[in-house]
Amino acid sequence: MIAFPLRTVFSILVAASLLVIVVWVSPPSPFSASSVSSSSVGRLDIWSIRRLVEWRPCKWWLEGHLTALPAETNGYIRVDCYGGLNQMRRDFCDGVGIARLLNATLVLPKFEVAAYWNESSGFADVFDVDYFIEKMNGFVKVVKELPADIASLEPFRVDCSKRKGQFDYVESVLPSLLEHHFISITPAMSQRRDRYPLHAKAALCQGCYSALRLTGALESKGFELLEAIPKPFLSLHLRFEPDMVAYSQCEYSGLSRHSMEAIDAARGDRKPWTGELARVWRNRGKCPLTPKETSFVLQALSIPTNTNIYLASGDGLMEIEGLTSVYTNVYTKSALLSGEDFTSMHGNTKAALDYYVSINSDSYVATYFGNMDKMVAAMRAVNGLYKTLFLSRRAFAQFTAEGLTGTELKKALWEAHQHDFSHGIGSALPDCFCEFNL
C-alpha cells in the first residue's frame, strides 16, 4: 500500500468534495445525452426546482363568504361574449361578478357566432347549464329564461369598454339597468376586481372555478381523449398559426414558402415591423416561438426528447416538423379521435377538449400567455397541479439578440426559467388566489 503525506490526503479529499458539490448543484449540459434522456437520474429538470411559494384559492372564497342575496333584483344582465372560448369564458366570469355587484339576475350569456373561428356553438353546447345554476345558488341569481313581459325584447346595450371598477358600474351601469330592466354588457378586458366587495369577488370566483363544467357529452369525449394519450404526458399549448403570426407583426426567416404565403394571406393591411422597431418589439417578447424554437427551449430545460406530448393547438399550425423531428412522441386530437367525431366539432368544442386535457395533464407548457394559458394555469392551481410553465419569449429573443447560441444559449435559458415556472401568479382572475409559503 502506498502511503501519502497527511497534507496530500487532506487536499485530495477537499478537491473530491468540491467536485461532488459542483456536479450536484450544476444544471445538466444541454447537449449531454443525460439532459435529454428519460432516465436523468441525479440530474435536475425544470420540475425539480424547489418552489418557495404556491398560489392557491383564497380561504375567504373556499369557505363561502356569502352575503344574503336581496329579495328583489334590480333587473337582468346578459353578458355578450366574443372571441375564442377562453376569452368568452373570461368575459362571462367577469359578468358574473358585475351581476352580483349590481344585484342583478344573470341571464345565460350570448356566445358570438363567428365564421372566423369556425364557430356556431353556444354556451349550452359547451357548459352544463343546470350544474352552473346549482353551483351559483346563494352567490348570484341565474335564470334560463326571462319573464314573459321582457322575453321578446332585445336588451339595452350598455358600453362597458371604459367601465373597470366597482364605482364605474354602480354610477354608470346601474342607472341603465334600473331604467331598462334588461341590459347586455361585454366587460372591459382590464377589470379592477381588487376593489369589489367580497361577496361580488366570491361570486366571480365561484362562477369561474367551481360552477363552469363541460357538458356530459364533452366531458365524456375529453375523458376518452385523455385515456388515449400514453402516460405520463406533457400538454403543450403551441401557438404558431398564420393569423397569430400576422397579428404579432413579427418577421421570421427560414420558414417554408407555404408558411410565408399563409402568413402573407392573413396579414391584410397589417405589415410587420422592420428595422429598430422590429428589434425592440421582438426583445419585448412579442413574437410567438416557432415549433423549432420551442423544441430548443424544451431541451434547454432538460425535458427529455422521448416525453409524451399532447399538442393542444388550433387548426393550421405551421412548421410543426421543427418540433416533431426532435420530440417524436407527439399526439393530437385529430389523430386520436375518429374522423367523424373530429370533423363535426366547432372551434369552441375543440378548444374545450384541449382545456380538459391540459388541466388534467401531468405537466403543462405554454409558448404564449393568452386566455387559455391563464385559465389552465389557474385551474391547475385549484386542483393542486403545479407543473405549469410559460416559456419566456422575451428571454429567448434577448439572448439570441446578444449572439448566444448552442450550449451558452441553453444554459442562459435554464437560468431564466428555473425560478419562473408558474404557481398561479398571473393566471386568469388572480384575485381569487392567495400566496402560501412552502
Side-chain angles (χ1 to χ4, degrees):
M1 179 179 292
I2 301 174
F4 293 98
L6 184 59
R7 178 178 296 178
T8 303
V9 172
F10 180 75
S11 300
I12 292 172
L13 289 174
V14 170
S17 299
L18 289 174
L19 179 61
V20 169
I21 292 172
V22 169
V23 169
W24 186 75
V25 300
S26 299
S29 168
F31 288 119
S32 68
S34 61
S35 72
V36 294
S37 72
S38 59
S39 56
S40 303
V41 179
R43 298 280 188 173
L44 292 175
D45 62 29
I46 193 63
W47 311 120
S48 303
I49 303 297
R50 183 176 180 272
R51 291 174 289 108
L52 300 178
V53 297
E54 283 181 354
W55 280 65
R56 305 173 188 170
C58 299
K59 290 183 179 179
W60 57 260
W61 161 44
L62 293 180
E63 293 171 357
H65 186 94
L66 296 179
T67 299
L69 292 170
E72 297 293 327
T73 180
N74 286 328
Y76 297 85
I77 289 180
R78 186 185 76 192
V79 185
D80 292 349
C81 305
Y82 299 87
L85 175 63
N86 287 287
Q87 179 180 332
M88 292 195 287
R89 178 180 180 142
R90 180 205 67 201
D91 287 346
F92 179 56
C93 292
D94 275 322
V96 172
I98 294 166
R100 181 66 183 93
L101 186 67
L102 301 182
N103 183 31
T105 298
L106 194 65
V107 182
L108 294 182
K110 179 184 179 183
F111 276 15
E112 173 195 30
V113 177
Y116 178 80
W117 296 96
N118 182 26
E119 192 49 64
S120 61
S121 52
F123 179 81
D125 297 310
V126 179
F127 297 109
D128 186 330
V129 172
D130 291 330
Y131 182 82
F132 178 77
I133 294 175
E134 175 190 340
K135 296 294 286 185
M136 293 310 298
N137 183 39
F139 287 90
V140 69
K141 295 177 182 177
V142 186
V143 294
K144 289 183 182 179
E145 298 178 353
L146 289 163
D149 58 330
I150 59 174
S152 61
L153 303 176
E154 277 297 309
F156 179 79
R157 177 71 184 166
V158 178
D159 180 11
C160 290
S161 59
K162 297 181 181 179
R163 312 296 175 219
K164 299 181 180 181
Q166 173 185 358
F167 297 107
D168 279 340
Y169 287 107
V170 171
E171 294 175 3
S172 302
V173 179
L174 181 58
S176 294
L177 177 66
L178 293 172
E179 178 182 356
H180 298 280
H181 306 297
F182 179 29
I183 65 173
S184 67
I185 63 170
T186 297
M189 291 186 66
S190 299
Q191 294 289 308
R192 290 298 307 272
R193 313 174 193 92
D194 54 317
R195 297 180 181 179
Y196 281 13
L198 282 186
H199 61 268
K201 278 190 182 181
L204 181 150
C205 297
Q206 176 75 1
C208 201
Y209 296 124
S210 289
L212 283 177
R213 184 177 73 179
L214 298 181
T215 64
L218 269 180
E219 285 237 338
S220 177
K221 189 58 64 180
F223 182 77
E224 177 187 332
L225 183 56
L226 189 65
E227 287 292 290
I229 304 169
K231 313 296 187 299
F233 75 97
L234 179 154
S235 180
L236 175 64
H237 189 212
L238 184 56
R239 300 299 310 272
F240 202 69
E241 303 92 348
D243 60 297
M244 170 61 65
V245 176
Y247 182 79
S248 74
Q249 295 184 269
C250 297
E251 278 280 32
Y252 291 86
S253 60
L255 303 185
S256 68
R257 181 177 60 84
H258 177 76
S259 294
M260 293 303 300
E261 290 175 351
I263 295 168
D264 288 339
R267 276 198 173 124
D269 296 331
R270 186 181 288 111
K271 301 301 180 185
W273 299 113
T274 58
E276 181 64 13
L277 281 176
R279 186 191 68 79
V280 171
W281 192 246
R282 180 172 290 276
N283 284 351
R284 287 180 180 174
K286 299 297 185 179
C287 297
L289 292 172
T290 69
K292 185 175 182 179
E293 291 168 344
T294 299
S295 172
F296 187 94
V297 179
L298 292 179
Q299 289 177 87
L301 303 180
S302 296
I303 304 294
T305 55
N306 62 355
T307 298
N308 297 314
I309 295 178
Y310 173 76
L311 197 58
S313 62
D315 300 332
L317 193 62
M318 303 182 297
E319 305 289 315
I320 189 59
E321 297 80 9
L323 174 73
T324 57
S325 61
V326 178
Y327 286 88
T328 53
N329 298 333
V330 176
Y331 302 87
T332 64
K333 53 186 174 293
S334 59
L336 295 173
L337 295 176
S338 70
E340 183 179 350
D341 280 342
F342 190 71
T343 55
S344 65
M345 288 184 174
H346 295 281
N348 281 348
T349 48
K350 288 179 181 179
L353 291 184
D354 282 342
Y355 171 82
Y356 180 89
V357 170
S358 295
I359 65 171
N360 288 290
S361 60
D362 298 284
S363 52
Y364 178 76
V365 173
T367 63
Y368 206 66
F369 193 55
N371 291 304
M372 174 171 167
D373 306 310
K374 295 174 184 178
M375 283 290 181
V376 167
M379 276 307 302
R380 289 177 63 81
V382 169
N383 295 332
L385 301 173
Y386 291 97
K387 288 186 176 182
T388 302
L389 173 67
F390 296 109
L391 300 189
S392 176
R393 292 167 291 154
R394 180 193 291 264
F396 185 87
Q398 291 179 345
F399 293 148
T400 52
E402 292 169 8
L404 298 185
T405 60
T407 304
E408 284 188 336
L409 177 56
K410 286 188 174 182
K411 287 182 177 179
L413 288 168
W414 170 274
E415 292 296 327
H417 285 87
Q418 65 175 320
H419 298 302
D420 197 36
F421 69 88
S422 172
H423 313 140
I425 300 172
S427 58
L429 309 181
D431 300 286
C432 302
F433 294 86
C434 294
E435 185 178 281
F436 288 78
N437 293 325
L438 297 180

